Amino acid sequence: MKSLYYILFFVIFSSVYYFVICQDVPSPRHEQTSTLVGTRLYFFGGPTSTISVYNEVWYLDLSSSFNISTPPWYRDAVMPVGYFFGTSCLSPIDNSTVYLIGGRTYISAGTKDYSYTSSVYKFNSKTSQWSTPTINNFNSSFATRNEMQAVIDNNGKIFVFGGINHGNDDNITTTAYNDMSILDITTMIWSTQTQSQPVLVDYTATLLPSGLIVYIGGRGSKLVNLNDISQVQIFDTKSYTWSTKFASGSIIASRAFHSAVLTQDGNIIIYGGSTYNSTQLVNVFSDVAVLNTNSWAWSVPSVSGRSAPPLTYHSAALYQNYMIIAFGATSTTNLYTNNIYILDIQNYTWVTTFNILTTTNKAKQTPNNGNSSTDQANNNSSNLYVGIGIGAGVVILAVVLFITGLFIYKNRHKENFIATPGTSKDDHIRETHMSTVYTPRIPPPETYAQTPMYGVPVPGNN
């Protein structure tokens, strides 16, 4: 029986190793940018250490249910440069082209050789191809800009406010900006609007259906100059004017490098973020806060479930009723993660399973446009590979169990035979296949008398 236990343990361990350990998953990282395209949540770049900057592109497949312990990760075409601290947005014209704006770019992945050949890259998610668009009237001061966030309106205009030059280790003077950069992707014309607002870096920008961009948190030109999160800066994309909303309600700590998503009912949910002293991180948050953009009031919901850890430099997106949070730094010592965390915003519960809503409920969600035909083809291909893998696993498991059963059968059969002088294994085998014929008045061999018959005389013993 011990042999059976050992073999079963080997089979189970091998299966877990194959389906979990050998799964193709991204390395822990932070400072990446992300964009939701249909049922794919894309992640672009991000350093995996202090010296390695990657040009990898990964996406999380949201077309089917999954557990966060084994999320469905897939690779896509790598970027032409190493990339982090940039921003990205999805074209509303075709719902498949992603624009990467600004960021720190490197000549090749895993290096610190800076590249400022382009500040805008296009990624066609249908064909997995990268290109560099030709931009008219480009602002050269934007070439080294990073640590800002872009939004795009329904007309195809990308708005990017502020940001900062890299500085320090690339021989460029660190400069924070307060201008509004606008790229019209329908004409590829760039324009720059000088603003009277203070400089702003490491904030979140959320575009409301009304055309207002809501800027939350962030900092000034220095790490310690955090913006008061209760003073929400608003930019009107129709009139190109600024205003300030003084948010009431709960007191929320000011922060930078947090994430924000917009719900259908006009609430902006933020998560995480961090604070700094003059040189480094001093605190990483793990709280959830909600800004009601109708009443302009902050609130802190009661959240249940096993919460996500403190996170900063992470990504977040809203898909159906799930706020999906991924990657980031989990502490002041910059421990990076490749985990994902899911907050169900209907009841503010951290969940471990991503469930696709039923057809009835899906109709209530915001339509997710995207490359549906390509998604279907890729999903069919992925399902084929998964089916082949599962089929192979079942066959291997059946063969192992067959061999195990045969081994146990022979082992037991062998243990029941005790050889005696003058006999052999062949004799035993032959005996088990021969019919026993008893001659009257001749007693059978004693080895065959298995059950005593009390009170009944045995022939031949009278």
Side-chain angles (χ1 to χ4, degrees), residues 427-442:
D427 294 334
H428 170 70
I429 296 174
R430 184 169 60 252
E431 287 174 0
T432 60
H433 290 84
M434 292 175 60
S435 300
T436 305
V437 179
Y438 297 99
T439 303
R441 296 186 175 276
I442 297 178

Side-chain angles (χ1 to χ4, degrees), residues 318-344:
L318 187 68
Y319 185 81
Q320 295 180 355
N321 59 299
Y322 295 119
M323 181 179 181
I324 303 173
I325 299 170
F327 301 111
T330 60
S331 69
T332 56
T333 55
N334 280 334
L335 295 177
Y336 311 145
T337 181
N338 61 351
N339 293 333
I340 67 170
Y341 307 93
I342 300 178
L343 178 67
D344 188 335

Side-chain angles (χ1 to χ4, degrees), residues 39 47 54 61 76 87 91 110 136 139 213 249 271 303 332 346 351 376 444 448:
T39 58
Y54 279 86
D61 184 3
D76 213 316
T87 182
S91 166
N136 299 312
N139 180 7
I213 304 176
Y271 180 77
V303 182
T332 56
Q346 288 186 331
V351 297
Q376 184 64 42
Y448 291 94

Side-chain angles (χ1 to χ4, degrees), residues 301-380:
S302 177
V303 182
S304 60
R306 185 176 181 179
S307 63
L311 282 176
T312 188
Y313 306 128
H314 57 284
S315 296
L318 187 68
Y319 185 81
Q320 295 180 355
N321 59 299
Y322 295 119
M323 181 179 181
I324 303 173
I325 299 170
F327 301 111
T330 60
S331 69
T332 56
T333 55
N334 280 334
L335 295 177
Y336 311 145
T337 181
N338 61 351
N339 293 333
I340 67 170
Y341 307 93
I342 300 178
L343 178 67
D344 188 335
I345 65 168
Q346 288 186 331
N347 51 20
Y348 286 101
T349 301
W350 292 105
V351 297
T352 58
T353 302
F354 174 87
N355 291 315
I356 290 296
L357 300 180
T358 61
T359 303
T360 302
N361 290 334
K362 277 185 179 181
K364 300 178 181 179
Q365 302 296 319
T366 302
N368 287 288
N369 300 318
N371 45 338
S372 56
S373 60
T374 304
D375 284 343
Q376 184 64 42
N378 288 330
N379 288 335
N380 291 340

